[in-house]
Amino acid sequence: MKEQYQIYKLRFTTAVHFSDERDDYSKSLVHLHSDSLQAALLSVLASAGYDVPPDGDTGFVVSSLFPYYQEKKDSGEDAVYFFPRPQTNEAPGSEMLSYLKTIKNIKWLDQHYFQKLLKGEQLFSNMLDPDSMKGEFLTDQKLPQEGMYVRQQQARVAVPRQYELDGHKKDAEPFYMERIYFSDYSGLYFIAKGNSETFELLEKGLNILKSEGLGTDRTVGNGFFEWEQTTISLEVKASEYAMNLSMYLPEDEMILKQILQKNQVAYDFMKRGGWITTPPYSKLRKNSIYMLTEGSILHTGQQSALFVKGRIADLKPQIEALTPNHAIYRNGKSLFIPIKPVKDE
């Protein structure tokens, strides 16, 4: 049976840059992690004076922001939504090595192919239609010939945040910043889970954030967007395994062991942290933690619908005389969707 889930579509009206975990400005991600979106929403809501819970839990949980393609403003019903490719161990046999090279670059699956994997169907073990493989995207739908987005390099100068050991500030250095422009009415979307009250708070945050921007270089006009709310249908079947659609921070070590204990799991970790943005502490880094990346397949116990796992961590560094007088939250609560491992067929 198909379930309806609330989604928010962000159409960017300016260029965007989303840094990776290495802060390599010469390359922009084409999506934004859920913990970065949550941090941005929490920050603008607190700055605007809204009543934000002291533990940083806004009551709504969001997926990471994933790409969607939409040709025209009024063609929303025909929008193509993409999901991250699950980190399965499925691969073609040795006699299909040339095909393996072709499919290894696929990072995003449209709703049709994503549903196949949710049901446990084999997808990459057999030959796919070459016309459906469009660079990083797997879809039978028509996409622009030039792609869903355009990458552009811009020359910039970096002013260091920190000083050398001798007390002198480091010299400014030139670098290149990659910016992304989405084609037509394309952009990024995320799934949200909550209730009418928490969705109202989420939308208040989006209304502020759309004029402040998402990502890097917001002060020079990057990351501005328009947003709209709609729904998406997904057919979900009960399974003891699930795939996370958000960055996931396990509740404790025991939970971590439980979700990684089966042979069919497939996962990856990513270090999360970054610079403090509260003036005048922007020369300090937050503490760091590791989260499981989107698309990990974990053993979560029997589930039959979209559900939430994870916790929120405070990354405020313990430097009494220097740190800001508020917590610095990193939201590791994740949306999970049940998935049948391919080996269950």
Side-chain angles (χ1 to χ4, degrees):
M1 188 172 106
K2 288 194 173 182
E3 298 286 342
Q4 293 280 336
Y5 300 110
Q6 186 153 317
I7 67 170
Y8 290 86
K9 297 163 60 177
L10 277 54
R11 175 182 172 263
F12 290 91
T13 56
T14 61
V16 297
H17 174 92
F18 300 129
S19 296
D20 61 14
E21 64 274 16
R22 299 171 299 171
D23 286 337
D24 180 5
Y25 294 118
S26 66
K27 188 75 172 178
S28 174
L29 299 176
V30 74
H31 69 291
L32 184 69
H33 297 298
S34 58
D35 57 332
S36 294
L37 175 61
Q38 287 273 21
L41 288 167
L42 189 65
S43 176
V44 296
L45 287 168
S47 298
Y50 287 103
D51 186 16
V52 176
D55 61 357
D57 191 348
T58 55
F60 55 79
V61 180
V62 301
S63 72
S64 293
L65 287 124
F66 307 135
Y68 74 90
Y69 175 69
Q70 183 173 325
E71 183 178 7
K72 300 177 182 178
K73 184 176 182 179
D74 57 355
S75 61
E77 292 184 358
D78 298 321
V80 184
Y81 299 101
F82 290 93
F83 295 83
R85 177 177 174 175
Q87 298 183 37
T88 65
N89 297 319
E90 181 192 4
S94 58
E95 72 281 0
M96 302 171 66
L97 289 181
S98 59
Y99 173 65
L100 177 61
K101 294 179 181 179
T102 303
I103 66 171
K104 71 177 183 179
N105 291 327
I106 295 176
K107 297 180 180 178
W108 304 100
L109 315 178
D110 73 6
Q111 194 169 344
H112 168 70
Y113 287 107
F114 184 64
Q115 289 279 192
K116 284 179 174 290
L117 284 184
L118 289 183
K119 296 176 184 178
E121 295 183 23
Q122 292 190 357
L123 187 59
F124 297 102
S125 300
N126 304 308
M127 292 291 290
L128 290 166
D129 182 353
D131 291 336
S132 67
M133 294 182 282
K134 301 175 174 67
E136 295 182 344
F137 299 91
L138 180 63
T139 179
D140 295 326
Q141 303 299 313
K142 182 180 178 182
L143 297 182
Q145 188 172 0
E146 66 278 8
M148 283 178 50
Y149 54 87
V150 175
R151 296 181 182 271
Q152 180 192 77
Q153 295 284 343
Q154 182 184 40
R156 299 292 303 280
V157 175
V159 179
R161 298 171 184 254
Q162 296 176 323
Y163 289 80
E164 301 281 10
L165 293 177
D166 60 6
H168 291 87
K169 199 167 187 178
K170 297 179 181 179
D171 294 332
E173 296 180 355
F175 70 100
Y176 283 93
M177 169 81 76
E178 183 177 71
R179 302 194 299 173
I180 289 180
Y181 293 86
F182 286 94
S183 304
D184 300 327
Y185 275 78
S186 303
L188 301 176
Y189 80 97
F190 63 90
I191 303 173
K193 187 175 180 64
N195 54 43
S196 58
E197 183 178 348
T198 57
F199 283 155
E200 182 179 353
L201 184 63
L202 167 59
E203 292 173 6
K204 287 177 179 177
L206 288 176
N207 281 331
I208 303 171
L209 198 57
K210 68 180 183 180
S211 300
E212 294 200 3
L214 272 174
T216 304
D217 268 5
R218 298 183 300 275
T219 56
V220 295
N222 279 358
F224 293 175
F225 61 87
E226 301 170 344
W227 67 270
E228 65 173 299
Q229 183 273 323
T230 184
T231 58
I232 191 171
S233 296
L234 289 173
E235 185 174 355
V236 180
K237 293 189 175 181
S239 175
E240 291 188 357
Y241 294 84
M243 168 182 159
N244 57 319
L245 298 173
S246 324
M247 296 295 288
Y248 170 51
L249 180 62
E251 293 84 342
D252 53 45
E253 186 175 349
M254 182 64 69
I255 294 293
L256 180 61
K257 290 180 179 178
Q258 291 174 356
I259 62 178
L260 302 182
Q261 69 180 349
K262 299 291 185 177
N263 291 333
Q264 293 96 327
V265 300
Y267 56 89
D268 197 6
F269 288 95
M270 182 181 294
K271 187 177 181 179
R272 306 298 287 161
W275 296 96
I276 295 176
T277 57
T278 306
Y281 307 103
S282 57
K283 295 181 176 64
L284 299 176
R285 280 191 173 274
K286 309 168 188 174
N287 289 337
S288 296
I289 52 173
Y290 283 87
M291 293 186 179
L292 279 90
T293 58
E294 309 94 338
S296 297
I297 297 179
L298 309 171
H299 182 257
T300 57
Q302 190 77 358
Q303 298 288 345
S304 59
L306 196 72
F307 64 98
V308 175
K309 284 182 66 66
R311 65 182 174 91
I312 300 172
D314 183 0
L315 302 190
K316 177 181 176 180
Q318 298 303 311
I319 308 174
E320 295 295 336
L322 297 177
T323 52
N325 59 359
H326 61 79
I328 301 175
Y329 291 115
R330 180 64 66 171
N331 196 318
K333 286 192 169 185
S334 173
L335 290 179
F336 279 82
I337 190 166
I339 185 171
K340 292 279 190 180
V342 172
K343 291 183 179 181
D344 279 1
E345 277 199 325

